[in-house]
Amino acid sequence: MQQISSVNNATVKKLAKLKQKKYRDEEGRYLIEGFHLFDEAIKSGQKYQYLLGTEEALDKAEEDYDVDLSGKNVILINKAIARHLSSTKNSQEIFMVLKIDQPRKFPFNYGKWVLLDNLADPGNVGTIIRTADAAGFDGVVLSPESADLYNPKTQRAMQGSQFHIDLIKRDLADVITDFQDAAIPVYASMLDKTAKQLPDFEKVPQLALIIGNEAHGVSSTIASLSDEKLYIPIKGKAESLNAAVAAGIMIYHFV
């Protein structure tokens, strides 16, 4: 086990930068924080580059999670460093550094998927991923302009679901073609009463659901590529639904 006691340490400075997307992309790694995400990573067999924690946190990791603390990639830190690395107000003082692993090719020829078309809010992205995981979907594809998967807010909203299902960043037009080539229907969620209403859709064993940007919905280009456009009936006076709520309704309709 290593020990670091200064926030000015070179390793600490590098890891603190991982709170920013620019440095996550450059380094090809990201930081997770807190015992819940730590537990989910351990249970799913994630190999970490570093495990950092205060004495109390590392003792808990060893006693409650049977983690071997003898490795050189385990670093004992103090509370000041924990505050420096943390993205929360009340840190649990346990951190893990993981590699960003995006597959170069993926066969989109099975299962149930959610496609996110330029969703901007990390909380919505994380919540939709968590909902897809809970419903037994196989994965979520994010357009390149969607909120970053490794943003701390996205991580907290996912609650570990990133370790359970496939999460991929791809150009949605290419992915839609791949689904359609595999005879998997692609449905675009639209705020359009002339679209086919959600209750009219029957459950199918495989599909892809497109969820659009919070302000602008599914882009016209992406919508035009879909096999069907669907509309969630709104019976009250609200103009629309939150993107994550709408996604949850659609996801569970097809379970």
Side-chain angles (χ1 to χ4, degrees):
M1 182 193 300
Q2 300 183 54
Q3 182 171 351
I4 297 176
S5 57
S6 172
V7 294
N8 294 316
N9 176 274
T11 298
V12 172
K13 285 183 175 181
K14 264 198 164 186
L15 297 184
K17 287 181 177 180
L18 296 180
K19 290 188 283 185
Q20 301 175 51
K21 183 179 186 302
K22 172 185 174 181
Y23 293 103
R24 290 193 293 269
D25 291 343
E26 287 180 2
E27 294 278 336
R29 54 185 181 169
Y30 68 106
L31 193 68
I32 64 171
E33 174 182 359
F35 276 101
H36 180 71
L37 289 183
F38 164 83
D39 184 35
E40 292 295 332
I42 293 294
K43 287 191 295 190
S44 63
Q46 294 292 313
K47 294 182 179 180
Y48 54 85
Q49 293 184 350
Y50 290 110
L51 171 63
L52 305 94
T54 59
E55 183 174 4
E56 182 180 0
L58 290 180
D59 285 347
K60 180 179 175 66
E62 184 176 43
E63 293 171 11
D64 295 355
Y65 301 94
D66 197 28
V67 174
D68 181 7
L69 301 180
S70 63
K72 291 182 179 180
N73 59 345
V74 178
I75 303 176
L76 174 64
I77 59 175
N78 56 32
K79 290 183 179 295
I81 295 174
R83 287 194 297 270
H84 188 60
L85 294 177
S86 179
S87 298
T88 65
K89 289 184 178 180
N90 299 303
S91 174
Q92 293 183 325
E93 301 176 346
I94 189 83
F95 307 87
M96 190 178 277
V97 180
L98 300 174
K99 181 182 177 183
I100 292 175
D101 189 15
Q102 280 285 306
R104 293 186 178 182
K105 293 184 178 180
F106 196 88
F108 296 103
N109 57 6
Y110 71 91
K112 293 181 179 179
W113 293 76
V114 178
L115 312 185
L116 303 184
D117 183 22
N118 299 352
L119 259 77
D121 183 83
N124 281 338
V125 169
T127 299
I128 291 169
I129 290 169
R130 185 179 178 186
T131 304
D133 176 22
F137 270 49
D138 295 281
V140 176
V141 183
L142 299 88
S143 67
E145 296 79 14
S146 290
D148 185 29
L149 268 173
Y150 309 102
N151 180 299
K153 291 181 180 179
T154 312
Q155 296 284 331
R156 290 195 292 275
M158 286 191 290
Q159 287 289 297
S161 287
Q162 68 266 41
F163 304 127
H164 307 155
I165 61 176
D166 291 312
L167 303 177
I168 299 155
K169 277 215 167 188
R170 284 286 192 280
D171 182 273
L172 292 193
D174 293 340
V175 170
I176 290 169
T177 298
D178 291 338
F179 279 123
Q180 291 168 335
D181 286 347
I184 294 176
V186 179
Y187 302 151
S189 171
M190 306 293 291
L191 192 61
D192 180 356
K193 293 181 181 180
T194 65
K196 190 173 180 180
Q197 299 219 356
L198 180 62
D200 296 334
F201 283 82
E202 295 182 359
K203 293 181 181 180
V204 290
Q206 301 188 102
L207 83 159
L209 294 172
I210 308 172
I211 312 298
N213 173 270
E214 293 88 348
H216 307 294
V218 177
S219 66
S220 57
T221 300
I222 295 300
S224 69
L225 299 175
S226 66
D227 296 303
E228 292 274 11
K229 298 173 182 63
L230 64 83
Y231 170 75
I232 299 173
I234 294 178
K235 299 184 179 181
K237 295 181 180 180
E239 291 184 357
S240 63
L241 292 166
N242 167 272
V245 172
I249 292 170
M250 288 186 288
I251 288 168
Y252 270 91
H253 177 81
F254 290 103
V255 171

